[in-house]
Amino acid sequence: MPSARIIPCLDVADGRVVKGVRFRDHRDVGDIVDHALRYRDEGADELVFYDITASVDGRTVDLAWVGHVAAVIDIPFSVAGGIADVETARTVLSAGADKVSVNSPALQRPALLTELAGAFGRQCVVLGIDSMIGDDGRLEAKQYTGRPEATRSSGRETIAWAVEAARLGAGEIVLNCMDRDGVRDGFDLSQLAALVDAVDIPVIISGGAGEPSHFAAAFRAGASGALAASVFHDRRIAIGDLKDYLARQGIEVRR
């Protein structure tokens, strides 16, 4: 089994790193490049950058900061934000990103996943799913989650959408469990396990990390990577200490 990946998540808005709770009430937590450098030095395996308002604002990610990040770090990173066609993805990858991540654009036009995989290989194509438990108890994929007033249901059930996306060309999936985002009471392991069982591509879990044991539980449930933001931004968990803990639990980590 590949080593477990520890992946800090950096939500970006107006050129700054921000963090909210359940995708609302975002606060400024610092400079994009400063955070990238810090996580590189602390031993992160990868980074994920989400320009959270790009899709809802009808624009794409700002290539300037993508290039600045690529110039100073030597670990893989993926970028999301309004990437709705092959040419836009090409500019993001050319600016230095290792992967492109798509969410709302793929919900709008699922064939985008096939086009991206055909152009760059599926290893470069990440599907983000912002998943929420609906009033009827069903999991649903949300769209345009960067602004609370614009967030809406896509009409797609989370697991069914993931299965379709894997068939179309997604190389891995980041499952953002919106109900757990920022609350630090643990990842949604039942949702994670259902998704891992349903697809044959790597799954990264996001939403709810609060302590090292939460990461261990996620990897035991089948996650390829665990993504977190506030516990790293606020220095509640040090990545080096987390990897030491996971190794003691018998979970293989990268050094």
Side-chain angles (χ1 to χ4, degrees), residues 47-116:
L47 299 177
V48 172
F49 295 87
Y50 292 125
D51 186 327
I52 61 172
T53 61
S55 287
V56 70
D57 290 346
R59 58 175 177 81
T60 191
V61 63
D62 180 358
L63 296 177
W65 65 254
V66 177
H68 292 155
V69 168
V72 298
I73 68 170
D74 55 2
I75 58 174
F77 70 97
S78 63
V79 172
I83 300 171
D85 54 58
V86 167
E87 286 310 308
T88 301
R90 193 184 309 280
T91 63
V92 173
L93 294 169
S94 296
D98 297 276
K99 305 174 188 177
V100 290
S101 181
V102 292
N103 187 334
S104 293
L107 285 165
Q108 194 74 24
R109 194 172 65 85
L112 173 64
L113 294 165
T114 304
E115 294 165 5
L116 293 173

Side-chain angles (χ1 to χ4, degrees), residues 5-10 17 19 27 29 34-35 38-40 42-48 182 184 187 204-212 214-215 219 225-243 246:
R5 290 179 285 163
I6 304 300
I7 308 173
C9 171
L10 296 93
V17 179
K19 184 66 188 85
R27 57 187 170 92
V29 295
D34 288 348
H35 272 74
R38 173 189 153 196
Y39 290 132
R40 176 205 65 183
E42 290 183 2
D45 297 305
E46 301 179 20
L47 299 177
V48 172
R184 301 177 183 155
F187 295 108
I204 299 166
I205 185 66
S206 173
E211 57 188 58
H214 295 157
F215 289 85
F219 292 124
L227 186 152
S230 60
V231 292
F232 295 145
H233 297 338
D234 298 339
R235 302 181 187 272
R236 291 173 175 264
I237 298 177
I239 292 173
D241 292 345
L242 174 58
K243 287 190 172 186
L246 293 172

Side-chain angles (χ1 to χ4, degrees), residues 7-221:
I7 308 173
C9 171
L10 296 93
D11 289 343
V12 175
D14 300 319
R16 301 281 292 176
V17 179
V18 300
K19 184 66 188 85
V21 176
R22 294 192 174 109
F23 287 51
R24 295 174 177 270
D25 302 321
H26 290 89
R27 57 187 170 92
D28 187 303
V29 295
D31 179 77
I32 297 170
V33 174
D34 288 348
H35 272 74
L37 285 168
R38 173 189 153 196
Y39 290 132
R40 176 205 65 183
D41 294 344
E42 290 183 2
D45 297 305
E46 301 179 20
L47 299 177
V48 172
F49 295 87
Y50 292 125
D51 186 327
I52 61 172
T53 61
S55 287
V56 70
D57 290 346
R59 58 175 177 81
T60 191
V61 63
D62 180 358
L63 296 177
W65 65 254
V66 177
H68 292 155
V69 168
V72 298
I73 68 170
D74 55 2
I75 58 174
F77 70 97
S78 63
V79 172
I83 300 171
D85 54 58
V86 167
E87 286 310 308
T88 301
R90 193 184 309 280
T91 63
V92 173
L93 294 169
S94 296
D98 297 276
K99 305 174 188 177
V100 290
S101 181
V102 292
N103 187 334
S104 293
L107 285 165
Q108 194 74 24
R109 194 172 65 85
L112 173 64
L113 294 165
T114 304
E115 294 165 5
L116 293 173
F120 310 113
R122 66 187 300 166
Q123 78 281 352
C124 287
V125 184
V126 183
L127 176 73
I129 301 179
D130 294 336
S131 179
M132 180 173 279
I133 301 170
D135 293 337
D136 59 358
R138 295 176 65 251
L139 296 173
E140 56 183 16
K142 293 291 188 176
Q143 198 168 6
Y144 302 126
T145 55
R147 296 192 188 279
E149 69 276 11
T151 298
R152 69 190 193 200
S153 175
S154 67
R156 292 178 176 271
E157 193 274 333
T158 296
I159 305 302
W161 169 228
V163 169
E164 180 182 354
R167 177 181 60 79
L168 289 171
E172 65 181 11
I173 293 172
V174 175
L175 176 64
N176 301 305
C177 299
M178 295 179 66
D179 300 289
R180 301 292 184 97
D181 178 68
V183 299
R184 301 177 183 155
D185 59 358
F187 295 108
D188 188 333
L189 298 180
S190 62
Q191 195 170 165
L192 168 62
L195 183 50
V196 168
D197 286 344
V199 299
D200 59 358
I201 58 176
V203 175
I204 299 166
I205 185 66
S206 173
E211 57 188 58
S213 64
H214 295 157
F215 289 85
F219 292 124
R220 292 191 181 108

